[in-house]
Amino acid sequence: MRHPWSSEGEWLRCALHAHTTESDGEMPPASLVEHYERAGFDVLAITDHWKITEWPSTERLLVIPGVELNCVLPGARDGHVLGLGVAADPDGLRELAGGYPTLEETGTWIVERGGLAFLAHPYWTGVTPGTLVLPDSVLGIEVYNAGCELEIGRGLSGVHWDELLESGRMCTALATDDSHHPGFDSAFAWTWVRVPERTSQAVLAALADGCFYGSSGPVLEDIRIQGDTAEVTCSPCRSVTLISGKSIGAAVNAGRMGYLRAGRILKTSSAGLVTRAALTVPPGASHVRVEVTDPTGMKAWSNPFRV
């Protein structure tokens, strides 16, 4: 896994889960592209259900083809899988749909057609944390899906992610809109990708390498791990947390009593919010990830670091 803060290049703000009138979205492709372009995004993946919607990029916005497919998850649950950068014809999609494949089969199908597979909104789907097994063909999950959160409060899948990480599956996680009603459920979550050049190929390569992080607002400016210390620099936040295994980790909190656990606040904003912190990596931890929360409750999530 290649972490963005140790890589060269520029940051691109990516909307990696959005729907058009080609499936169940409210905007046609041209309007959705214009919508995300005006919202200040750099990349849009159109992920219509069971249809690959091709649309040209603009001078400002890279448009990546994608698709959202169904699969069978543990407990015979219906799962959804994003295929980013995938290329397939309608006949191939119909053949896949006819078999109602497993998550592993769906991921393999996406990879064989040049795409990247991510499991969408596991909390919304209803899969029980700890029962999910992520096959090698699936790179990661959505840790946050804004549409699912706005509609029924089941958009945050951090527990599912942590259970996978604690089982030894070092997967990555996206933050997405899953927009169906642009304006009402768009520009609430995005993925920041670090790329050496502004191309679709570079974006997909960075996603494959884990060179990104998800956010619903805060900015992770830098994360450095040296020895038993993780130093985090971020936009002003009320908390900075180092998440590892069960019952272990570290955190610093701003405001009120300013609770600290295995961490130090190194710098604050004029409003007293944390902008830089040092957190102690728990002894014996196999991995850590960073999660920050801003004053409005919005979060950002780093991908895991092996330690």
Side-chain angles (χ1 to χ4, degrees):
M1 194 178 297
R2 183 168 57 89
H3 290 280
W5 303 279
S6 58
S7 303
E8 297 294 328
E10 65 176 313
W11 291 100
L12 299 184
R13 188 184 184 206
C14 305
L16 299 176
H17 189 169
H19 298 274
T20 76
T21 49
E22 294 296 299
S23 63
D24 57 348
E26 288 186 349
M27 276 189 179
S31 298
L32 188 70
V33 168
E34 183 178 6
H35 176 82
Y36 271 99
E37 186 175 37
R38 287 183 173 180
F41 282 75
D42 302 293
V43 179
L44 170 66
I46 298 176
T47 54
D48 284 317
H49 293 277
W50 289 97
K51 181 179 176 60
I52 298 174
T53 302
E54 300 272 1
W55 204 259
S57 298
T58 70
E59 185 175 340
R60 171 74 175 80
L61 187 75
L62 291 172
V63 182
I64 296 174
V67 69
E68 186 171 3
L69 306 172
N70 295 67
C71 71
V72 178
L73 291 174
R77 302 290 312 184
D78 175 60
H80 293 193
V81 186
L82 297 179
L84 304 177
V86 69
D89 57 34
D91 288 340
L93 285 165
R94 278 192 291 270
E95 182 180 354
L96 180 69
Y100 215 86
T102 65
L103 176 58
E104 182 175 12
E105 290 167 340
T106 302
T108 298
W109 187 92
I110 290 168
V111 171
E112 288 176 346
R113 286 155 184 81
L116 308 176
F118 289 88
L119 179 66
H121 44 61
Y123 184 31
W124 180 90
T125 297
V127 63
T128 304
T131 66
L132 179 64
V133 176
L134 210 62
D136 291 341
S137 58
V138 180
L139 289 171
I141 69 169
E142 287 180 332
V143 65
Y144 186 69
N145 180 297
C148 294
E149 185 66 22
L150 288 166
E151 290 182 355
I152 61 169
R154 292 176 71 100
L156 184 60
S157 296
V159 174
H160 297 78
W161 191 19
D162 286 330
E163 290 285 350
L164 286 165
L165 294 174
E166 288 167 31
S167 74
R169 181 63 166 88
M170 289 288 287
C171 57
T172 57
L174 308 173
T176 70
D177 277 335
D178 193 2
S179 178
H180 292 77
H181 317 287
F184 294 98
D185 63 357
S186 58
F188 280 95
W190 49 88
T191 299
W192 284 108
V193 176
R194 192 80 179 265
V195 293
E197 59 183 15
R198 201 181 182 91
T199 64
S200 298
Q201 293 79 9
V203 171
L204 292 168
L207 290 169
D209 289 344
C211 197
F212 64 89
Y213 74 91
S215 180
S216 60
V219 174
L220 290 173
E221 296 175 359
D222 194 22
I223 300 175
R224 302 285 170 177
I225 298 180
Q226 294 183 335
D228 65 351
T229 301
E231 189 167 307
V232 180
T233 306
C234 58
S235 56
C237 284
R238 71 185 190 200
S239 68
V240 178
T241 307
L242 193 72
I243 297 173
S244 187
K246 293 179 176 68
S247 303
I248 59 174
V252 298
N253 295 272
R256 220 161 65 93
M257 300 300 290
Y259 188 82
L260 308 178
R261 176 180 170 84
R264 295 176 292 124
I265 296 173
L266 302 178
K267 189 176 181 181
T268 60
S269 69
S270 58
L273 296 167
V274 181
T275 57
R276 191 157 61 93
L279 303 164
T280 301
V281 176
S286 63
H287 70 277
V288 295
R289 67 178 182 88
V290 172
E291 187 171 304
V292 301
T293 307
D294 75 10
T296 66
M298 298 297 101
K299 295 179 177 289
W301 306 263
S302 82
N303 282 317
F305 293 78
R306 288 193 185 276
V307 294

